[in-house]
Structure formats: C-alpha cells, structure tokens
Amino acid sequence: MSQFALLGQRRFAPFFWTQALGAFNDNAFRNALVMLVAFRMGLDDRSVSLYTNLAPALFILPFFLFSATAGQLAEKYEKTRIIRAVKLFEIGAMALAAVGFHTHDTALLLGVLFLMGLHSTTFGPIKYAILPQALAPGELVGGNGLVEMGTQLAILVGMIAGNSLMLVPGVGPWLASAATIAVAVGGYLASRRIPPAPATAPELKFTWNPVGETARVLGIVRRDRAVFNAVLGISWFWFFGTVLIAQLPNYTRQTLGGDGSVNTLVLTLFSIGTGVGALLCERMSGRRVEIGLVPLGAFGLTVFGVDLYLARHGAATLHDQDWLAFLRSAGSWRVVLDLTLIGAFSGLYVVPLFAFVQARAPREQLSRVIAGNNILNALLIVLAAGFGLGLAALGFDAAQVFLAAALLNVAVAAYIFTLVPEFPMRFITWVLVNTLYRVRVEGARHVPEEGPALLVCNHVSYMDALLLMAHLRRPARFVMYYRIFEVPLLHFVFRTARAIPIAGRNKDPAMLAAACEAIDQALAAGELVCLFPEGGLTRDGDVAPFRPGLLRILERRPVPVVPMALRGLWGSVWSRRDTRLGWARLPRRFRARVELVIDAPVAPERLRLDALEARVRELRGTLA
C-alpha cells in the first residue's frame, strides 16, 4: 500500500490535517505580526529590529519551560482529548491576535506569540508519539514522511499567506485575522475526527516542577545511547535549517540580487525539496526504519551546501530582480538545484531519525523522549541564531555562512556516527545491497514485533546476512562462519550488528561453545537470532540437509522458529555458481532480482527438523 493511501484513512488523515493546519497558523501569525510591525505601524528601525528579534525568542521560550510538562501530559492522558483542548486554545489565541492586529497592540501580539509557542510545545510530544499508536511498523516511515512533507508545505504556505494578507492595503489586518481564526477552527474540527489514542503511562506521577522534570526528561533521553544520538541528529537538523532560513533574505538580496519574490522562490525550493526527500524515504527504505539513509542525507547536505557557495558568492552585480529575471540570469539553475537538493537531503536525513526514535524508545516513555528532543531542538535553534549573528559580526556574508554550516556538518555527522556506528553500518549495508540486488520481500509481517525468535534461512551467497539485515524490519543477531565474519570491509558491519561468529567442533570448539552461549543469551534477552542451518553455502543452488544444532538451541531455549527463504540469488554476485558458455566464463548476474519469503512462526514444541527443511525448500521454490 502506498503511503498516500494513509491520507484516506481516519486513523491518520484527521491527525495529518490537524498538525498541518497548526503549522500553517504558527507561521501565518508570526509573519503577519512581523509585516505589521515592519511596514504598518510607522516604527523606527530600532523598534522594528527589537520586535522582530524578540518574536522568535518569545515563540521558543515555552519549549524550554513547558516541554517536560507536555511530555507528561501526553503519556498520562488520552491524546486526542489533549489535542482538542490545544486546538480550542489556538482558537482563543487567534481571537486575541485579531484584537491585537486591529488595535496595533504590540504587547498583546507578543503575548499571543508566546501562547502560540505554548500551543506548539504542548502539541509537539503528541505529534510524534501518536504515530506508533496509529500506524503499523511498516507504515511508520511513510507516515513520518507525510507529516514532514505536510509540515514543510504548511510552513511555507503559512509564511507566504501571513506576509501577503497583512500587506493588502486597507484590509490587511482583517484578512490576516479572518484567515488565522478560520484555520484554527478548521484544525479543531479536524481534531474531532482523530480516533482515540490511549494513555501509554496512565500511572505516571505528574510533576509540576518544570526544572526538575526537564532534567528528568533529558535523563530519559540519554538512557539509550542510540536514541540520544538520534535526538542530537534531529536537533542538528534544526540548527542547520535555522541557519539556512535565517540567512535566505540576506542571501537573496546581497548575493542573488533578488527582490521579495526571489526570497519566496528560494524558500519554496527548500521546502518542496524537503517534502520530496521526506516522501522518498519510504521507497528508498523499503518501508522499514532505515537509518542507513541518515549518512546519505548528511553527505548531501554538505556536498550541496558547499556547491551553493561555489555557485554564487560575493556581491550581486544586479539588484531588485524579480523571480523570472533571476531564473533567466546566468548560473541561476545551479542555485535552484542546490537549494532543492539541500531540502531533499534534509528530508532523507531527518525522517529516518524521527522514525528510529519512535521505533526504539519505550512506548510508555516516547512522549517524554519527544519532549526532551524538543528541548534540545529549541537550544540548537537558539545556538543557530547566535552562530549566524556571530559570523555576521566577523564579516561573513550569507553565502559564507552557508559554507561554514555545510563544513561544520561534516564534523557533527562524524561525531554522531563515531558514537553510534550503527548509522554508518546501516548505510554500508543499504548501499551494498541496493547496488547489487533488486529485492522484494514477502511475508514481512510474520517476523514477531517483539520477543525472542529463531529465524532460519537457506544459505546461497556470501551476502545473505547483509541482504537479510537490510530487509528485516527488526534487528537480528546473525550466526555466521567465522571466516565470513572476518572479511575486512564487512567485519565492521558484522561486528557492529553484533553478529555471532561460529566454527565447527573440529575447527575451534571454544568458539563453538562461545557462539552457543551468545545465542542463548540473545534469545533470553528477547532478541531475534538468525542462522543458516545448512552449515555452509550451497554448492549447487539446492537446499542442503539441515544440521541438528538448531534443535540443541531450542532444547535449551524454546522459542518460535520463523522459516525464511532467499530466491534468485544462485548465479548472482557472491554466490558460488560459475556461469559458463562452452569454454568461456561469463560474469555472474549483477543487480539480480531477489525475493525474501518469510513464513509464519512455528511453535518450538511442534517443530521437526525434516519438516522445517521441507518448508524452506518449498518457500525457496522458483523466482516469481
């Protein structure tokens, strides 16, 4: 099923429109406020600068103060009730904003901006914690991609609408007020259709102390090192995006020589690119939580960030060009491509990170993990503002700030990937498997979502473990012959994936004993263990007799057994088959079409070795 089918289902669509309309209103109101202060109230430059710099700070402040409290609310109480209360709160805030627009009461409008920050703070932990409750694991990446795409487009349209409506002569405040109130009401009506999302931790003891709870929430985030570093990666995305968005007006005017329409164009390119990248995540990941896309996204941010500087830097020779004149100018399409691809790689970078946090964090703590993520995001947004202002004070122009952020991205990515080698490991696996094969998975639902199980599969090529690793939705510990485990480049992948090297009793009895102990400990800890019971690669493409070691594992630790089979690998790259035509040896098949077929689990008390072998043979069959 395509991810877009979710937009027609009640379990997702009302929530999608609720969050998109909320993102629209946040940005429509903020930009209408800025336009009112900058162009409608006749204020001097110092006053305008004060208000426009104070506005983002007031919007961000609630994230520091109340994110931890919002995380508690989202876990202790049913989520849709909170969402509806938040949307009613938004209607009230927009009614106050209408009064401020008409009276030009800046104090009231800044107060409303703080309230909208509080609205977003409360909604944030629910926004991402509700998805795992509403979606199946295989839909999580697609759902996150749609949410990210919807958010980016809503932000873009909201910014344009807020600017444009407030500047309409004579009726600007009326139009801005009517639009924001109407969208708030629409968001509330959409929220009425969201299905119930039960509390995940109803027994949670609520704490009102924001300082103590903030420290507690950040402690929860830090418990799982991989989740914490994923949160740092998400926060870095906000840093990078904030630097980019903040510099676009100056970049448009000083470097591109464009007017306001060019600023809207470049912002549109970045937003559309991010939305496209977010949507591509599902297809590129095979509907799994594929964190291997994160290094690819980080790589793209740096490459096209650097190229954006190389494409156009220094002072513009022409000024006040509209968007059509800009597109006709020399080198403009390289800038267009760079901005769009920076957005696309941003989507590839951030969507898998959100999905990873949702899949890895304990369900009863997910809202508080998201709250901690929002606190760190807010901190990095503030640091991004300081980063831009600091470089500007040193004489950097906007293009040079872009270059500095792109180069800094290398150091940040290297730091995160060094701390959590699972990210580069998954990237290497994703690249190798998707370069060498075209894979279709059938029966992925049969792999248990939680608890221990033993996965058994036929053994066709040296790439079998990597291929399975790339297409199982849940991490598994692979039992493999020690010489394959020690292959130079792949050793890093197998070691990081915590594969279990094994040798025969005659070859290395100590290694065999250690492997058996590691298998038992993994199953006792509730993990998946995958083994190839033939004991070696097939020499003729057929399934060899299964060895009885599998039964000894089950005698010690009875767990469900999941039969699997690989089809189409025989004769491909890294299988043992030589393709010959007479005396000539032909290359093995490259980009082979492969199928992974997974059958329903078999209870350990019902398992017979000969029946299991026959079932794997039957699953292997022939490639469809």
Side-chain angles (χ1 to χ4, degrees):
M1 182 182 71
S2 166
Q3 66 197 102
F4 292 103
L6 293 172
L7 294 174
Q9 299 184 21
R10 187 184 170 194
R11 62 195 174 102
F12 180 80
F15 167 75
F16 173 85
W17 291 111
T18 299
Q19 66 86 26
L21 291 171
F24 173 96
N25 247 12
D26 279 345
N27 289 275
F29 169 69
R30 276 195 287 171
N31 282 272
L33 170 59
V34 170
M35 291 300 103
L36 178 70
V37 168
F39 298 104
R40 288 283 189 163
M41 295 177 59
L43 301 176
D44 58 61
D45 289 346
R46 178 173 294 182
S47 298
V48 170
S49 177
L50 172 65
Y51 288 127
T52 55
N53 283 285
L54 187 59
L58 283 172
F59 187 81
I60 288 294
L61 183 59
F63 285 89
F64 289 107
L65 298 178
F66 303 116
S67 283
T69 303
Q72 293 182 90
L73 285 172
E75 285 178 358
K76 187 171 179 62
Y77 301 104
E78 199 275 322
K79 293 180 178 60
T80 56
R81 292 176 56 193
I82 303 173
I83 292 174
R84 290 163 191 163
V86 168
K87 303 319 284 184
L88 286 173
F89 179 85
E90 181 186 352
I91 294 173
M94 290 300 94
L96 285 176
V99 175
F101 283 151
H102 289 285
T103 61
H104 291 188
D105 188 335
T106 52
L108 176 61
L109 289 170
L110 291 175
V112 172
L113 189 60
F114 179 85
L115 294 179
M116 289 303 289
L118 180 59
H119 156 272
S120 296
T121 300
T122 307
F123 189 71
I126 300 173
K127 175 178 177 178
Y128 290 104
I130 201 172
L131 288 179
Q133 290 183 264
L135 303 179
E139 298 170 328
L140 203 53
V141 173
N144 274 281
L146 287 171
V147 167
E148 186 64 30
M149 178 272 295
T151 301
Q152 289 296 326
L153 295 183
I155 289 172
L156 173 65
V157 176
M159 293 174 68
I160 295 172
N163 289 345
S164 304
L165 293 176
M166 184 55 73
L167 294 179
V168 174
V171 293
W174 287 97
L175 292 176
S177 300
T180 51
I181 291 174
V183 169
V185 171
Y188 173 73
L189 294 176
S191 74
R192 300 288 303 177
R193 296 280 298 163
I194 300 175
T200 52
E203 75 291 344
L204 180 68
K205 184 177 179 180
F206 199 89
T207 304
W208 286 102
N209 181 351
V211 176
E213 188 58 28
T214 295
R216 190 174 297 110
V217 161
L218 293 177
I220 291 172
V221 176
R222 288 180 59 88
R223 283 177 191 169
D224 188 312
R225 186 176 181 182
V227 169
F228 177 62
N229 283 284
V231 166
L232 289 181
I234 294 168
S235 297
W236 172 251
F237 164 78
W238 283 102
F239 180 99
F240 190 92
T242 299
V243 170
L244 185 72
I245 299 299
Q247 297 301 319
L248 281 181
N250 282 336
Y251 179 71
T252 299
R253 188 176 64 255
Q254 298 169 359
T255 305
L256 302 183
D259 62 9
S261 67
V262 177
N263 185 67
T264 301
L265 172 65
V266 297
L267 186 60
T268 301
L269 293 170
F270 176 74
S271 299
I272 290 176
T274 304
V276 170
L279 294 178
L280 284 174
C281 284
E282 184 189 49
R283 183 174 182 83
M284 295 180 69
S285 66
R287 299 184 180 180
R288 298 176 310 280
V289 178
E290 181 51 83
I291 58 174
L293 294 177
V294 177
L296 178 64
F299 176 77
L301 289 179
T302 290
V303 168
F304 293 103
V306 170
D307 195 66
L308 183 63
Y309 170 79
L310 298 176
R312 190 80 65 89
H313 58 272
T317 55
L318 298 175
H319 297 280
D320 295 323
Q321 300 178 91
D322 63 16
W323 68 277
L324 278 173
F326 163 70
L327 290 178
R328 294 190 189 105
S329 64
S332 62
W333 286 100
R334 184 175 172 186
V335 173
V336 166
L337 182 65
D338 285 335
L339 285 166
T340 305
L341 289 177
I342 288 172
F345 280 98
S346 295
L348 292 177
Y349 176 84
V350 76
V351 168
L353 287 174
F354 269 122
F356 178 79
V357 171
Q358 291 164 341
R360 181 69 68 91
R363 186 67 58 87
E364 70 278 5
Q365 296 180 341
L366 178 56
S367 294
R368 282 176 288 173
V369 170
I370 297 297
N373 168 75
N374 290 345
I375 294 168
L376 292 175
N377 290 352
L379 176 61
L380 267 290
I381 288 171
V382 172
L383 291 177
F387 178 81
L389 291 172
L391 292 185
L394 293 174
F396 284 53
D397 62 22
Q400 291 170 328
V401 174
F402 291 158
L403 177 63
L407 295 177
L408 185 58
N409 181 62
V410 178
V412 172
Y415 172 73
I416 293 174
F417 300 152
T418 300
L419 289 179
V420 187
E422 187 176 352
F423 286 90
M425 178 272 287
R426 294 291 303 186
F427 174 66
I428 292 170
T429 304
W430 183 83
V431 170
L432 282 174
V433 170
N434 285 278
T435 299
L436 297 175
Y437 307 103
R438 294 167 293 161
V439 184
R440 186 176 75 88
V441 181
E442 179 183 324
R445 67 188 182 280
H446 292 311
V447 177
E449 294 296 338
E450 56 185 21
L454 198 61
L455 313 180
V456 298
C457 189
N458 59 319
H459 204 3
V460 188
S461 78
Y462 294 102
M463 294 291 290
D464 290 353
L466 283 180
L467 198 148
L468 294 173
M469 194 184 301
H471 289 90
L472 292 173
R473 289 177 180 166
R474 185 178 160 199
R477 302 279 300 277
F478 288 86
V479 183
M480 61 178 60
Y481 186 51
Y482 75 99
R483 287 191 175 174
I484 297 179
F485 181 85
E486 292 171 355
V487 171
L489 174 62
L490 299 183
H491 177 66
F492 164 75
V493 175
F494 295 142
R495 177 171 49 83
T496 304
R498 298 165 61 229
I500 301 170
I502 196 167
R505 189 178 304 277
N506 295 332
K507 177 73 69 172
D508 191 334
M511 179 180 289
L512 176 62
C516 291
E517 187 63 30
I519 292 169
D520 186 67
Q521 289 178 3
L523 293 173
E527 296 182 281
L528 297 178
V529 174
C530 182
L531 54 83
F532 305 98
E534 297 164 86
L537 294 182
T538 178
R539 294 183 177 274
D540 57 6
D542 198 5
V543 177
F546 282 10
R547 296 187 178 183
L550 181 150
L551 296 177
R552 289 194 288 272
I553 293 171
L554 294 176
E555 286 173 4
R556 185 174 179 184
R557 186 76 56 180
V559 296
V561 177
V562 181
M564 306 190 303
L566 289 165
R567 298 175 179 170
L569 269 176
W570 183 243
S572 68
V573 176
W574 299 111
S575 69
R576 278 180 164 167
R577 176 184 174 186
D578 288 329
T579 304
R580 292 178 178 273
L581 182 61
W583 55 270
R585 177 177 294 181
L586 301 179
R588 295 186 177 113
R589 287 184 300 126
F590 185 73
R591 291 285 292 163
R593 189 160 60 93
V594 176
E595 290 182 352
L596 168 62
V597 187
I598 306 172
D599 199 15
V602 180
E605 63 273 12
R606 294 175 48 213
L607 185 119
R608 295 194 345 262
L609 194 62
D610 58 344
L612 180 65
E613 179 186 323
R615 184 56 182 149
V616 172
R617 288 177 180 274
E618 183 181 350
L619 291 174
R620 182 184 65 87
T622 57
L623 186 63

